[in-house]
Amino acid sequence: MKSYRKELFFNTATRREIINITPDVERALKESGIQEGLLLVNAMHITASVFINDNESGLHNDFEKWLESLRPRNHTRSTNTTDSRTMRTPT
């Protein structure tokens, strides 16, 4: 079975950004020479995601509104804080 791996890196200009990676994925697939099989696209960062949908501005706007409702811009961060209940005592 033939396989091919390529890592793609993207930098965002804003706090949250939707990037159409279809041309990059198509280019990588062409480079692979593979014509039949499965293609896996995976976001390897905890705050990144890959979604498959139409590249449609109204849909992107709906995603932006939904994401903002999950964690508004003015939300204070509660992760990476010290909590005595979860602190470990050195042994």
Side-chain angles (χ1 to χ4, degrees), residues 11-74:
N11 293 312
T12 59
T14 59
R15 175 177 173 253
R16 188 171 50 234
E17 190 171 336
I18 295 174
I19 303 171
N20 181 2
I21 64 170
T22 303
D24 302 278
V25 173
E26 287 174 337
R27 208 169 10 262
L29 182 58
K30 193 172 197 170
E31 288 172 13
S32 77
I34 296 172
Q35 296 193 12
E36 187 175 292
L38 298 174
L39 170 70
L40 171 64
V41 177
N42 190 18
M44 299 300 289
H45 194 279
I46 194 167
T47 60
S49 67
V50 174
F51 66 90
I52 301 169
N53 236 315
D54 293 328
N55 189 21
E56 198 268 331
S57 61
L59 181 62
H60 295 177
N61 190 41
D62 289 345
F63 276 129
E64 289 288 344
K65 287 179 184 176
W66 176 69
L67 289 168
E68 187 65 23
S69 75
L70 293 175
R71 187 174 188 277
R73 185 175 302 273
N74 61 0

